[in-house]
Amino acid sequence: MAVPTESHPENPNLSDPSPEPDDLDDFEAEIDEDDNDESEEDDEESEPITPDAQMRVDRVSMESLFKRLSTERVPVRVHDVLIKGNTKTKDFVIEAEVEALLKNATTVQQLLQAAGVANARLQQLDIFDSVNITLDAGPPELPGTANVVVEVSEAKNPLTGDVGIFSKPEARSWSLEGSLKLKNLFGYGDLWDGSVAYGWGQASEVSAGVSVPKFKALATPLTARISLLSQDWLKFSSYKEKALGLSLGLLSIGNHDLSYNLSWRTLTDPSQMASHSVRRQLGHGLLSALKYTFKIDRRNSPLRPTRGYAFLSTTHISGLVPDNRSLRFIRQEFDLRYAVPLGFYHAALNFGISGGFIFPWGRGFLNTPSYLPERFFLGGNSSPVCTLRGPTSILGFKARGLGPAEPRRQERGNSNNEISDVSTGMDFIGGDLAATAFADLSFDLPLRVFREAGIHGHAFACTGSLTKLTENAHRELSFHKLRESFRCSAGFGIIVPTKLFRMEVNYCYILKQHEHDQGKTGVQFSFSSPL
């Protein structure tokens, strides 16, 4: 009797000790005996079985099966894993995802759970339109065994694309983003993709990459990506950045990810008005870094979590090549989230705390400033609930709109080169130590049409701090100065999710800011990707 994995619920009493039948055949024989008893009674009555009666008999058999599975641990051993439907994908690619998982199961309950996990793994490869895993009885000469049939349907259209326009009102910039993805070109589960992002007034990027899942000859997934990035930070920090980089995924197992990044970076100041700290960093630099990421996300949704928790830790170690232009620093950041359901109006309370630091290493590191683009910058209207990437967002402040700042060069007169009294603004130069925290209460709106569309409201409070540690600034740091460095904001708003974008309309009230911060009380808009 074939048993599709999706037809059986998970067993809540899997770990409870209970008597076990001798083997799977005994278990099936008992069900057959019940069917035979009912058949004998029908024969004695000498009445033909109607379709309704047969349906009742089948229902009784299935109820008996579910009852046995929920009360007893039925031993089983996987005899073979049969793969069907793959015309292009290599068998060993599928086997690497499911074979060990299925053959380690020793009971029917464990096998059903393993089949569900295997199904999810194959779907995550993103090369199949559908995946169906069926459990069937093993050969008659091998009692207590089962065969697992994995049937896949490969993607009919291997080439997919996406395009969208996104805005950042706090930075007064728009970006046009497009991507193409080619699936399973050589049958190894390989994914080839290219993307282009053109930003009006801030950032543009062209990149291409490939990823290959693990299989017998490859113990871990392999990823590689090359990119060309151009960013314009003249309005905020008086510099432009260009970077040509290569990224290699070295290890990806469970919650752990290890990658290597190599990039050649150039910082320029076309305005020639940069502050002293920015001018010191202009020129070329070589970034050679290992990046380790540990991530756990147990929330029920990344966009509107109502229960669960998430944790992210990222470590950068840069300066792995013996070159005098190599950038040497250690950068650590973490992010912790927790969502608590309140039990009414689909309401939930989300808490979050993030932190990070960057510090140079090498000879004379105590007197060396940290690398400007790798410092922490706070501000912007991105939702702190949805983002899980360390300390970045504080609602109510512009992008790079708070923290340490220095005055730009003052303009000189055209006639006698005298310095003008007209201020040319401030450069936000980032910080070496960052910390942010938020609390967000989300809830359904009373109108039914809003609830059905996913439109909901929220109230929030945010706080954050950004300070300098390098060039012996850590000696002057005290608890009082750290406490005074925090900025705060609060407000409420409406979130409108659509298939094309996610829009937030918030009213932000600035509770605390410093002299040169760019925080503003009022209504603010934010658009982001729906994913």
Side-chain angles (χ1 to χ4, degrees), residues 354-412:
S354 307
F357 70 88
I358 180 173
F359 214 80
W361 65 272
R363 181 179 300 177
F365 69 95
L366 291 177
N367 300 319
T368 303
S370 56
Y371 187 51
L372 180 62
E374 294 294 332
R375 293 177 188 172
F376 294 94
F377 293 89
L378 300 183
N381 294 334
S382 301
S383 171
V385 177
C386 300
T387 55
L388 189 67
R389 59 173 185 266
T392 55
S393 178
I394 299 181
L395 296 178
F397 292 85
K398 292 184 178 181
R400 296 197 176 198
L402 61 90
E406 287 187 6
R408 296 172 181 170
R409 281 182 176 179
Q410 292 181 318
E411 295 182 356
R412 295 181 177 272

Side-chain angles (χ1 to χ4, degrees), residues 35-234:
D35 296 340
N36 292 335
D37 292 340
E38 294 177 0
S39 300
E40 291 175 2
E41 293 176 1
D42 294 338
D43 293 340
E44 292 175 359
E45 296 176 359
S46 300
E47 293 181 0
I49 299 179
T50 63
D52 292 340
Q54 183 63 44
M55 186 179 299
R56 287 195 295 272
V57 172
D58 293 340
R59 185 183 298 113
V60 171
S61 299
M62 293 303 295
E63 289 176 354
S64 177
L65 174 62
F66 290 147
K67 183 177 181 181
R68 295 293 300 275
L69 288 175
S70 63
T71 58
E72 299 181 7
R73 299 177 62 186
V74 183
V76 70
R77 179 174 60 85
V78 175
H79 171 257
D80 197 6
V81 178
L82 306 177
I83 300 175
K84 298 181 179 180
N86 56 319
T87 58
K88 188 174 184 179
T89 308
K90 311 298 182 183
D91 285 350
F92 55 78
V93 174
I94 301 176
E95 291 172 355
E97 298 293 332
V98 305
E99 191 170 41
L101 185 66
L102 295 172
K103 290 192 173 183
N104 287 335
T106 58
T107 65
V108 173
Q109 292 88 342
Q110 291 179 2
L111 184 56
L112 290 173
Q113 294 178 355
V117 175
N119 193 309
R121 286 185 178 181
L122 292 177
Q123 293 283 5
Q124 289 174 356
L125 293 180
D126 199 23
I127 59 175
F128 302 119
D129 286 338
S130 64
V131 178
N132 185 32
I133 299 180
T134 306
L135 310 183
D136 205 351
E141 63 273 14
L142 296 175
T145 62
N147 289 333
V148 181
V149 181
V150 180
E151 188 171 0
V152 299
S153 175
E154 295 179 336
K156 296 180 180 179
N157 185 10
L159 184 63
T160 59
D162 190 18
V163 64
I165 297 178
F166 304 97
S167 73
K168 293 183 179 180
E170 73 276 8
R172 296 183 180 180
S173 66
W174 293 76
S175 64
L176 174 64
E177 301 177 12
S179 63
L180 285 176
K181 182 182 290 186
L182 183 60
K183 304 177 181 180
N184 210 16
L185 179 62
F186 298 107
Y188 293 96
D190 46 305
L191 298 176
W192 302 78
D193 72 281
S195 63
V196 177
Y198 179 78
W200 285 273
Q202 189 170 345
S204 300
E205 182 179 11
V206 179
S207 65
V210 59
S211 63
V212 180
K214 64 178 181 179
F215 47 85
K216 292 183 178 179
L218 191 64
T220 182
L222 175 65
T223 61
R225 190 164 202 87
I226 186 171
S227 61
L228 177 61
L229 174 66
S230 176
Q231 296 189 96
D232 185 352
W233 299 109
L234 283 174

Side-chain angles (χ1 to χ4, degrees), residues 232-240 267-275 278-279 282 372 400 406 408-409 424-428:
D232 185 352
W233 299 109
L234 283 174
K235 295 180 181 179
F236 309 97
S237 305
S238 294
Y239 74 89
K240 285 187 175 183
L267 304 184
T268 59
D269 173 27
S271 67
Q272 297 184 354
M273 301 298 296
S275 61
V278 175
R279 293 198 307 271
L282 300 179
L372 180 62
R400 296 197 176 198
E406 287 187 6
R408 296 172 181 170
R409 281 182 176 179
T424 58
M426 303 291 292
D427 280 341
F428 289 92

